[in-house]
């Protein structure tokens, strides 16, 4: 089977414009989450950061969403020899809502601005990409799913490289939706904590460039993709499974296919949204998968829930942690509040290791898991 | 690996076609009334149906016809996947949810503002627990869907898979669902791009 690695990355969030800025902020214990005018807590990219980004095409107007995507992809490409105009490169956009901030109650121009595919086309046009883009929109597992899809498309032999970019905005649309579900926390979120009471939303663009190029996959600096899988709870569309069995199905699947024993998992990068039900479901799934001896973290306390970007953003930050043999803490966590004992921490911990597992779960009952490893 | 299309359902123009033959027709031009006519015709009692938006009702109806007489063919529901695509994501319900925010934002509408909810509804109805992916493409890209499905089977991600297209925006709707399995049952059509295209015609 073809070996595929993470060759280059970028994260654009309230904490910075590059992967290293974001990783440094996390190590420093900074958070992008702040109190907004409407009283909610979320992680918003300051307008000046986007204003600073220069665009070489003065003739096309780009939306906030598109600017974020273009910046993130550009930065990831700059650190790489892989080109978007290579016929062996596929561009995959992961998003739940795209340009949803442009949706109006009347007089919408459809499909140009609001079509997720048209938005992806606009981004590929900027980079003069050879191939048509692919959009993955599978709720909060979109980011991880887009990586799994990228891996499959490279394995199929059709492509050698995949530029996988996840973007979502904090918009009135999404904020009012989560508020109507009473799912927003009235303070900074507290994943897996006894007093957790909901999520914080966040916005980000996160890009991962995958490649099967031998020079890259044999470079010991690059993190390798293990196996990935998804599953469905077949239980409820807006609440997670009560047992965690289906997330566990995906976790066991990727462990078996990657030929990794539970005790070899350095840490679990959980979805950890800080809702009562999600975190409890995940804890049960980790127990059913026999991986609770590994440390667990959630990065939602730094970035908020970045929806379609979350799986990619959290993979990128976790890959940096893996490279440095560091287990990141869970910002906001103080006292365990799930029914299964998990190894959570408030401090950065040094720990030599080779693998981590990333999990995501979302509306529609979907779950995904994927293994990431250092070179042999 | 030999793969087969064991069932196929196309819904468009007030007509449901199963395995190439007309299975249901209605004079209802309104999408909601047409989908309700399908529900009544099927004579099933499934209260969740009435809570769904039009995209989810369409997906639900296509899956009902697709899996009639074949449900027992799913030996292992944990490895039965579903991969769908459409053009308009959940935009129809996005518009209705945004309208609701003028007064009281509706959580019942908000949950349908993600296109993959249709996967969830079908999984709940039929107990499917395997692979779940939703793509947004400008049209039903049969070649892509065929190649991606082959990759899913080759990598042992699925043992059976529903694939296809579920598109709805205002009064426009179209569904094209195929059940792909490893053994030659039901329709017994070899899984090729040509066969998918012929059934979609």
């Amino acid at each position: 089977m073809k070996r595929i690695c993470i060759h280059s990355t970028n994260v654009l969030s309230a904490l910075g414009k590059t992967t290293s800025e974001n990783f440094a902020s996390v190590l420093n214990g900074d958070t992008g989450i702040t109190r907004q005018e409407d009283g909610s807590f979320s992680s918003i990219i300051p307008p000046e950061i986007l204003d600073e980004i220069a665009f070489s095409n003065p003739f096309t107007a780009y939306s906030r969403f598109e600017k974020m995507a273009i910046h993130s992809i550009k930065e990831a490409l700059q650190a790489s020899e892989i080109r978007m105009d290579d016929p062996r490169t596929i561009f995959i956009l992961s998003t739940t809502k795209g340009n949803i901030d442009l949706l109006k109650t009347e007089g919408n121009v459809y499909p140009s601005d609001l079509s997720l595919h048209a938005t992806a086309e606009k981004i590929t046009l900027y980079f003069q990409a050879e191939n048509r883009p692919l959009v993955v929109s599978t709720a909060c597992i979109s980011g991880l799913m887009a990586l799994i899809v990228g891996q499959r498309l490279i394995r199929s032999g059709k492509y050698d490289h995949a530029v996988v970019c996840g973007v979502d905005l904090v918009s009135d649309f999404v904020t009012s939706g989560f508020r109507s579900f009473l799912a927003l926390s009235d303070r900074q979120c507290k994943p897996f904590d006894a007093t957790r009471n909901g999520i914080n939303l966040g916005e980000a663009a996160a890009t991962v460039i995958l490649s099967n190029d031998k020079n890259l996959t044999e470079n010991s600096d690059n993190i390798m993709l293990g196996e990935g899988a998804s599953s469905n709870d077949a239980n409820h569309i807006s609440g997670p499974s009560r047992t965690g069995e289906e997330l566990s199905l995906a976790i066991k699947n990727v462990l078996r296919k990657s030929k990794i024993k539970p005790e070899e998992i350095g840490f679990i990068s959980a979805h950890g949204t800080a809702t009562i039900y999600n975190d409890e479901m995940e804890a049960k799934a980790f127990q059913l998968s026999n991986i609770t001896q590994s440390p667990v973290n959630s990065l939602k306390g730094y970035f908020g829930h970045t929806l379609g970007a979350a799986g990619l953003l959290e993979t990128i930050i976790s890959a940096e942690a893996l490279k440095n043999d560091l287990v990141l803490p869970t910002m906001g966590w103080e006292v365990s509040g799930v029914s299964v004992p998990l190894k959570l921490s408030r401090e950065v911990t040094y720990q030599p290791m080779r693998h981590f597992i990333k999990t995501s779960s979302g509306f529609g009952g979907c779950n995904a898991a994927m293994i990431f490893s250092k070179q042999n | 690996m030999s793969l087969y299309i064991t069932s196929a359902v196309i819904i468009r123009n007030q007509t449901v076609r199963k395995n190439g033959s007309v299975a249901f027709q209605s004079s209802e031009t309104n999408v909601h009334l047409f989908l309700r006519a399908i529900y009544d015709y099927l004579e099933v009692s499934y209260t969740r149906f009435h809570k769904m938006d039009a995209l989810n009702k369409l997906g639900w109806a296509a899956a009902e016809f697709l899996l009639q007489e074949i449900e027992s063919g799913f030996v292992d529901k944990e490895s039965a996947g579903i991969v769908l695509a459409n053009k308009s994501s959940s935009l129809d319900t996005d518009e209705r949810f945004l309208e609701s925010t003028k007064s009281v934002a509706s959580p019942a509408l908000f949950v349908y503002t993600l296109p993959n909810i249709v996967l969830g509804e079908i999984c709940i109805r039929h107990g499917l627990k395997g692979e779940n992916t939703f793509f947004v493409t400008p049209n039903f890209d049969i070649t892509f869907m065929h190649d991606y499905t082959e990759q899913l089977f080759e990598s042992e991600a699925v043992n059976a898979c529903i694939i296809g297209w579920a598109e709805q925006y205002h009064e426009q709707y179209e569904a094209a669902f195929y059940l792909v399995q490893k053994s030659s049952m039901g329709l017994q059509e070899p899984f090729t791009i040509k066969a998918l295209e012929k059934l979609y015609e």
Side-chain angles (χ1 to χ4, degrees), chain A residues 100-234:
Chain A
I100 194 67
D101 56 331
L102 303 181
L103 184 68
K104 294 173 281 203
T105 44
E106 273 165 38
N108 288 307
V109 182
Y110 177 71
S112 58
D113 287 340
L114 292 163
S115 152
L116 300 182
H117 197 269
T119 303
E121 292 264 14
K122 204 170 162 189
I123 296 164
T124 54
L125 205 64
Y126 179 90
F127 291 102
Q128 299 179 319
E130 174 82 10
N131 293 305
R132 290 179 91 178
L134 185 63
V135 177
V136 174
S137 190
T138 315
C140 305
I141 71 166
S142 296
L144 204 50
M145 212 54 234
L147 280 176
I148 297 171
V149 167
Q151 180 184 41
R152 285 179 181 148
L153 294 179
I154 294 173
R155 279 178 174 171
S156 76
K158 221 174 160 190
Y159 306 100
D160 291 320
H161 323 289
V163 175
V164 187
C165 177
V167 191
D168 262 311
L169 306 173
V170 172
S171 58
D172 290 345
F173 183 101
V174 173
T175 304
S176 59
F178 278 100
R179 184 175 289 134
S180 76
F181 260 102
L182 308 176
L184 293 183
S185 179
D186 57 357
R187 55 200 157 106
Q188 194 178 346
C189 70
K190 298 174 79 66
F192 298 103
D193 190 82
T195 62
R196 69 186 183 279
N197 68 352
I199 71 167
N200 299 147
L201 288 166
E203 56 188 9
T207 305
V208 168
I209 300 183
L210 301 177
S211 179
N212 68 6
D213 184 300
K214 244 186 153 215
N215 293 323
L216 299 174
T217 57
E218 284 174 2
N219 178 342
S220 62
D221 291 341
N222 289 330
I223 299 296
M224 308 298 294
L225 298 188
E227 297 302 314
S230 65
S231 66
N232 194 288
D233 293 343

Side-chain angles (χ1 to χ4, degrees), chain B residues 106-172:
Chain B
S106 160
L109 280 175
F110 182 63
V111 71
Y112 288 106
T113 63
L114 292 164
N116 67 298
I117 300 301
V118 68
L119 308 177
E121 287 288 6
I122 294 166
C123 286
I124 292 170
R125 171 66 173 159
H126 300 284
L128 313 180
K129 295 194 168 182
E131 278 281 335
N132 260 239
T133 312
F134 201 98
F135 295 107
V136 178
T137 53
N139 45 40
F140 182 28
D141 188 340
I142 288 180
T143 304
F144 166 76
M145 199 53 95
H146 171 269
D147 295 352
Y148 186 74
T149 306
E150 274 196 338
Q151 187 60 30
L152 279 181
F153 277 91
E154 269 166 31
S155 60
E156 293 174 8
V158 294
N159 274 316
C161 200
I162 295 172
I163 63 163
W165 177 252
E167 161 67 12
Q168 180 268 328
Y169 179 66
H170 294 180
E171 289 301 319
Q172 303 163 30

